[in-house]
Amino acid sequence: MAGQRITFGWHLDGQRATQPADSLGASVVGPLGFLNILETQLGLLALHPSQAERIVQYRDCLQKLDNDQRFYHRSFATDPLGTAACLLDWRDQWILHGWNGTMADEAPKRLRDLIEVESLTNTAVSPNIGQRLNAVHQALQHRKPDVEQVQLVDSAETFPARWQMVLAALPIVGPVALQPAGQGFLKTLQQQLQAAATGQTPKKLPWQDDGSVLVVQAETTTLAALWLSTQLAVDRQTLLVSGGDGARLDAMLAAACLPRQGLKEASAFRPALQVLPLVLELLWDPPNFYALVQFLTHSVCPIRGYARRRLAEKVADAPGIGGAYWQRTLAEIDKHYGAEQAPKVREQIAAWIEHTRFPSEFGAPLDAVIERVERLADFFRQRLGEPDTAQRLAFHAGFGQCKACLESLKGLQAQGANRIRPRQLQKLVAQATANGSDNPLWPAEVGAGQVVSQPGAVIEPVERVIWWRLAMPVLPGSDPWSASEVRALRQAGTVLAEVADRLDRAAHDWLRPMMAAQEQLVLVLPPPGEEVHPLWQMIGAVVDQARTIDLETLLLTGAETMTAVASVPLPAPKRWWQLPDDVAIALRPKESFSSLEQLLFNPNQWLLRYPAKLQPSRIVSMGGDFRMLGNLAHGLIEQYFLHPSALVMSEAEFDVWFAESFSVLVDQEGAILRSPGRGADLEGFRYRLHHSMRSLRYQVAKAGMVQVLPERGVAGQFPGGELAGSADLVMRNGRGERAIVDMKWSGIKKFPDKLKRNRHLQLAIYAELLRQETGAWPSVAYYILDRARFLAPDDRAFPDAEVVPSADGENTAQLWQRFLATWRWRVAQIQSGQIEVVLDAILATEDSEPPAEAMTMETLNEAYNDYRALAGWER
């Protein structure tokens, strides 16, 4: 039986460069694939550690020889793993290109330093590709692999020295040379480019529209992908060269019911690979609550679903761990899971959230980090047999990442390290995730054709070549070594390619797809403004006025493979919705101020939220400071007035209580204020709240209040049914007179205006409910916390309040009557099927004007309207 026939090219790893064919013993491989074949046949196959582990090994060698005379000393002190990664890459390149580990005594200092480091690496650092090739070369001296022929795609001289040594011992033929094989203008263009590549200066060609060369461009990548999906639907042998953003093209192919091409780009941002960085980010004190919310809402999380969603909501609303709010949330979780499952869930919460944290400036003990990574690895290990293919592959990727990280951490531990700082831990995780992971949900499907991501991987003629996104590639950069260092390396047997040579080889590779096209070449340029591929510049140098088709024009003029779609305009915004006759809206049996406010001032919002029950997105994200500061202020004032000595506490006693209680509350519900860079925000908030609470205590004492009830529930009736709410502060003075105070964190312009225009509806509702309970109207007031401003319509209850009387002389009781008139007006509209959409951008109509006895209309803040996008769209 004949031996294997190998087609070997520098860019062929992971490519589908040839048409499927029935063949036995034939392989198309790149460097990694061919090395695996040779090591297998020569008995050299071994389990090789990850690059992250090799970096840790090399770090140890650098550390052992480090002193202030080493050229890498300062970099190593700042970033040991990053420095080790860079210098190890230098070493690996040198060995691959022929370096044997020695250097002349007169070599530059950087090289002499690395020679000394090299003396430690033979037993300390796992072999690189060059060393493995050297072992293959030595084995080939006395063993013959089962290889009949090696067909080279690239010239043997273009390979690194270690590969040249191996190839010299094998039966090689080649290289593969693609000659112009096109028709019409395509063939002429191929010949011109080939002549230019050999140094000739041919006369420019006039552009010809014979269909053999098609160049298209769109304003967006999405439109380009949509158009290309129509081209791939045409049954013709096609080679697709993917120049990036292949996932979007595959999405368009799937939408067009065509097979995906498997253009799944490896990424470090796959969900399974995001868990480890998040888990390790939670090691540090103060906690990163943004990372904690991301961890709890992540699709791959080692905490049970309901528990992590509830905890995420708590942390987003009140950043902190511990305290009464946290315990209430845990109690809800216990109730949800029941006595049998709750202990296990609480154990997960304790392990992943309620664990010990470490100051970032000192680092974390390696034992603690290793334990955490091992726990996550065990989480993935238990799911490696998942029946769903996509999930199983994702869990394998996460497990592999954890294993690579563990090996590196244990390597550091074996070298005597006992702590690791955040930056180094991030670097280590990044190295363990260097290659990312493919998208397991988008593999190539049946019917997928030839696809390459590297132009140099094109090795055979094909009817049609499509180059998707002809964008600027990564060009060979300059070397980090000086001219004297390069000379010393060359004297030591290290033959490094010059930058000009690497650019020439790249240009040669760019021409391969051009030469492979037999009938048609299609080039899809990136959107205008993005830098194009040098190949397009090469075409421009040999063609006069190359013609590009603007794909946007095809939307108007159409094309052979395009079908006209009737335009359906989006609904335009309108002030009134009319419900069908057979649709009746039932009023809610129980209302609150927040629901009534929407019913009165924007019925559209009330309709969608309550009767229609449209739920806003449940995506949890950290809120802004405004809401958090208001919640913290309300919470601390509530704690204070629940204290048995609140009304008799001295100033000194209050200051002591405030200092202790404020610190605890911030830790439990506002710990984001302790994040680095937030010190000024925390102290500013502390000062304002302390001043505000002292001022509030003064107002309470001046008013002679003998009882203050925070978050006091009030309930009663109104014509629509039950009505209930919770008043911030309900007070009673020595004469038995009551007052309601509504606390707002800010709004020094808004709330005085409400009092002046007699529109303090929330206070009026709570006052009426308290009147129904006690038989007397209470006084009302606003307290603006961030300004320590106490505002009231009169000084009947609070003699030192800032009095803001209503301009029309009406009082709270009259406001209640206006509310009832407004409610009856709106209910009559709703029962007739008329729903008003009250937005600034939609002009009011005559029907928008309320009766004279009703309240004046106001427009609610649209930032808090989750349904504003459903009101219609401007054309």
Side-chain angles (χ1 to χ4, degrees):
M1 180 178 177
Q4 289 193 59
R5 298 179 303 282
I6 307 292
T7 299
F8 175 46
W10 190 248
H11 302 287
L12 287 177
D13 279 321
Q15 309 291 310
R16 293 203 310 274
T18 59
Q19 285 287 329
D22 294 329
S23 59
L24 184 65
S27 301
V28 180
V29 293
L32 294 179
F34 195 18
L35 179 58
N36 182 267
I37 291 173
L38 292 172
E39 287 182 328
T40 301
Q41 294 202 10
L42 296 172
L44 300 175
L45 199 62
L47 183 63
H48 297 283
S50 66
Q51 183 68 1
E53 187 175 355
R54 294 185 67 243
I55 290 170
V56 171
Q57 294 169 351
Y58 197 69
R59 169 198 169 278
D60 186 44
C61 298
L62 292 172
Q63 186 176 42
K64 288 179 178 177
L65 295 177
D66 184 32
N67 58 56
D68 58 7
Q69 300 302 311
R70 297 297 180 189
F71 80 92
Y72 59 81
H73 174 72
R74 293 175 63 185
S75 298
F76 190 78
T78 303
D79 184 6
L81 289 174
T83 303
C86 175
L87 297 182
L88 179 62
D89 179 62
W90 291 8
R91 171 184 181 266
D92 290 348
Q93 288 188 56
W94 295 347
I95 293 176
L96 182 62
H97 286 83
W99 188 46
N100 60 8
T102 62
M103 203 76 66
D105 293 340
E106 62 274 11
K109 176 172 174 47
R110 291 203 302 179
L111 302 187
R112 294 199 307 273
D113 282 354
L114 291 179
I115 284 295
E116 294 187 45
V117 175
E118 188 66 18
S119 64
L120 303 178
T121 61
N122 288 335
T123 58
V125 181
S126 300
N128 55 29
I129 298 295
Q131 291 169 316
R132 290 165 60 186
L133 285 170
N134 191 51
V136 167
H137 177 254
Q138 293 178 6
L140 287 173
Q141 306 308 308
H142 53 83
R143 295 191 62 182
K144 183 179 180 181
D146 185 25
V147 176
E148 177 184 339
Q149 173 184 291
V150 179
Q151 172 69 62
L152 294 182
V153 173
D154 309 288
S155 173
E157 292 75 20
T158 64
F159 287 91
R162 297 290 179 188
W163 269 113
Q164 292 184 34
M165 292 167 53
V166 170
L167 293 174
L170 296 171
I172 62 173
V173 296
V176 174
L178 291 173
Q179 298 298 327
Q183 302 174 6
F185 178 62
L186 172 60
K187 183 169 185 178
T188 307
L189 177 60
Q190 290 171 336
Q191 292 171 339
Q192 288 286 99
L193 288 171
Q194 188 179 56
T198 59
Q200 302 178 39
T201 309
K203 184 179 179 180
K204 280 194 172 185
L205 293 171
W207 187 267
Q208 298 177 31
D209 286 324
D210 62 358
S212 62
V213 180
L214 197 61
V215 183
V216 299
Q217 186 176 43
E219 293 288 337
T220 66
T221 303
T222 300
L223 178 59
L226 176 61
W227 175 84
L228 189 53
S229 68
T230 67
Q231 302 303 302
L232 289 173
V234 179
D235 187 17
R236 184 190 291 185
Q237 183 193 19
T238 300
L239 168 69
L240 179 64
V241 182
S242 175
D245 209 357
R248 191 175 319 198
L249 176 57
D250 255 354
M252 285 298 176
L253 293 175
C257 299
L258 296 171
R260 292 193 183 101
Q261 301 297 311
L263 304 174
K264 45 186 182 180
E265 299 159 356
S267 172
F269 299 103
R270 303 290 180 214
L273 299 182
Q274 294 173 331
V275 186
L276 178 60
L278 287 173
V279 162
L280 296 180
E281 183 63 28
L282 300 180
L283 278 169
W284 310 112
D285 186 36
N288 182 339
F289 287 98
Y290 292 96
L292 179 55
V293 170
Q294 291 172 7
F295 171 71
L296 291 170
T297 57
H298 200 275
S299 59
V300 181
C301 183
I303 298 177
R304 296 279 292 275
Y306 175 82
R308 59 190 177 90
R309 284 194 299 272
R310 289 294 297 115
L311 291 173
E313 291 168 358
K314 186 274 170 194
V315 171
D317 187 50
I321 299 171
Y325 193 171
W326 182 264
Q327 294 303 323
R328 289 197 303 271
T329 305
L330 293 180
E332 293 173 9
I333 292 170
D334 289 345
K335 182 179 179 180
H336 176 84
Y337 286 106
E340 184 175 344
Q341 298 184 51
K344 185 175 181 180
V345 175
R346 290 292 290 271
E347 182 183 357
Q348 293 174 347
I349 295 171
W352 294 109
I353 303 177
E354 298 175 322
H355 52 81
T356 302
R357 288 178 168 79
F358 308 95
S360 57
E361 60 268 26
F362 298 114
L366 273 175
D367 287 339
V369 180
I370 289 172
E371 186 275 334
R372 196 160 177 79
V373 178
E374 285 178 336
R375 183 183 290 273
L376 184 60
D378 189 59
F379 165 77
F380 283 121
R381 183 187 296 110
Q382 295 175 23
R383 289 156 180 78
L384 296 181
E386 186 73 28
D388 182 87
T389 303
Q391 290 188 347
R392 184 171 66 253
L393 293 174
F395 292 144
H396 273 275
F399 179 71
Q401 179 195 39
C402 289
K403 290 296 292 181
C405 186
L406 272 176
E407 290 168 355
S408 299
L409 288 168
K410 291 179 178 178
L412 286 175
Q413 194 175 49
Q415 295 169 13
N418 54 25
R419 301 186 78 85
I420 187 168
R421 293 185 177 181
R423 175 62 181 161
Q424 295 307 308
L425 189 54
Q426 291 169 1
K427 180 79 70 174
L428 191 148
V429 172
Q431 291 164 351
T433 322
N435 294 327
S437 173
D438 289 335
N439 185 350
L441 298 175
W442 281 14
E445 296 178 331
V446 174
Q450 292 173 256
V451 176
V452 299
S453 58
Q454 298 290 337
V458 178
I459 61 176
E460 63 183 22
V462 65
E463 291 180 15
R464 179 175 60 173
V465 172
I466 297 177
W467 196 323
W468 161 249
R469 276 189 63 84
L470 193 67
M472 175 62 73
V474 177
L475 299 177
S478 58
D479 292 326
W481 312 297
S482 66
S484 60
E485 288 173 334
V486 170
R487 286 194 298 271
L489 286 168
R490 188 178 295 113
Q491 291 171 3
T494 309
V495 185
L496 296 167
E498 299 285 346
V499 174
D501 294 335
R502 297 200 297 270
L503 284 170
D504 287 344
R505 292 172 193 170
H508 178 267
D509 290 340
W510 297 335
L511 290 177
R512 297 187 73 90
M514 295 283 302
M515 299 302 168
Q518 295 177 309
E519 296 180 5
Q520 188 181 45
L521 172 70
V522 180
L523 303 177
V524 182
L525 301 181
E530 293 188 25
E531 199 168 1
V532 295
H533 199 285
L535 177 64
W536 182 238
Q537 300 170 1
M538 294 164 64
I539 293 174
V542 299
V543 175
D544 188 25
Q545 296 182 343
R547 194 163 304 162
T548 302
I549 298 176
D550 179 8
L551 291 180
E552 274 73 18
T553 61
L554 297 182
L555 295 177
L556 300 175
T557 61
E560 182 181 345
T561 57
M562 299 179 70
T563 303
V565 178
S567 175
V568 179
L570 294 170
K574 54 184 179 180
R575 187 75 180 195
W576 292 90
W577 291 355
Q578 180 62 53
L579 300 180
D581 293 339
D582 58 347
V583 175
I585 301 300
L587 298 178
R588 286 154 40 93
K590 185 175 183 179
E591 296 283 5
S592 64
F593 162 73
S594 59
S595 62
L596 286 173
E597 184 182 41
Q598 294 178 21
L599 184 147
L600 298 180
F601 301 121
N602 195 355
N604 150 268
Q605 189 175 350
W606 175 87
L607 174 76
L608 296 177
R609 180 181 294 276
Y610 297 109
K613 297 181 179 179
L614 294 183
Q615 297 296 319
S617 170
R618 295 186 63 187
I619 295 176
V620 179
S621 60
M622 293 293 292
D625 284 356
F626 180 82
R627 175 179 170 82
M628 180 186 66
L629 297 181
N631 288 343
L632 289 173
H634 276 72
L636 195 62
I637 292 172
E638 180 182 359
Q639 286 184 31
Y640 172 69
F641 283 113
L642 289 175
H643 193 284
S645 303
L647 299 183
V648 297
M649 199 179 286
S650 68
E651 288 294 326
E653 291 172 331
F654 168 74
D655 290 344
V656 172
W657 177 91
F658 178 89
E660 296 176 352
S661 301
F662 178 87
S663 180
V664 171
L665 183 64
V666 167
D667 286 340
Q668 295 174 350
E669 299 184 15
I672 196 170
L673 292 172
R674 299 198 186 278
S675 302
R678 297 297 303 272
D681 297 334
L682 176 59
E683 291 308 312
F685 175 58
R686 185 200 310 273
Y687 172 81
R688 282 185 292 168
L689 184 55
H690 183 255
H691 173 66
S692 183
M693 289 186 67
R694 292 187 69 167
S695 179
L696 179 60
R697 276 168 39 89
Y698 169 79
Q699 293 285 352
V700 170
K702 187 74 173 179
M705 296 299 175
V706 297
Q707 184 186 57
V708 179
L709 300 177
E711 295 301 322
R712 207 282 203 171
V714 288
Q717 302 291 322
F718 83 119
E722 295 182 45
L723 184 55
S726 178
D728 289 343
L729 298 174
V730 174
M731 306 182 186
R732 179 173 56 83
N733 61 22
R735 299 185 300 276
E737 298 167 337
R738 288 177 170 79
I740 296 177
V741 178
D742 191 16
M743 297 185 294
K744 304 296 183 183
W745 175 246
S746 65
I748 195 58
K749 293 183 179 180
K750 175 181 178 181
F751 294 102
D753 182 67
K754 281 184 176 291
L755 291 175
K756 184 176 181 180
R757 299 171 66 184
N758 203 36
R759 295 175 64 172
H760 48 288
L761 180 58
Q762 184 174 12
L763 280 171
I765 289 176
Y766 293 165
E768 164 63 15
L769 296 179
L770 194 59
R771 184 203 65 78
Q772 293 181 19
E773 178 184 333
T774 64
W777 279 95
S779 297
V780 296
Y782 285 117
Y783 188 53
I784 312 302
L785 292 162
D786 72 337
R787 299 294 182 89
R789 299 276 294 275
F790 209 97
L791 310 170
D794 55 59
D795 59 359
R796 182 163 55 93
F798 301 100
D800 274 18
E802 297 180 44
V803 177
V804 186
S806 64
D808 57 10
E810 292 189 352
N811 58 24
T812 303
Q814 291 168 308
L815 174 58
W816 170 257
Q817 295 303 319
R818 287 190 174 277
F819 155 70
L820 293 179
T822 311
W823 178 82
R824 293 188 182 97
W825 170 64
R826 281 301 193 195
V827 168
Q829 291 176 337
I830 292 171
Q831 290 177 341
S832 67
Q834 286 186 301
I835 308 296
E836 187 172 13
V837 182
V838 185
L839 296 174
D840 287 329
I842 309 176
L843 295 178
T845 68
E846 290 183 2
D847 292 336
S848 304
E849 187 65 27
E853 66 274 14
M855 298 174 61
T856 304
M857 289 293 100
E858 62 179 281
T859 302
L860 302 181
N861 189 337
E862 295 181 15
Y864 300 104
N865 184 350
D866 295 315
Y867 311 98
R868 60 188 181 276
L870 300 181
W873 295 265
E874 296 289 348
R875 297 179 182 175

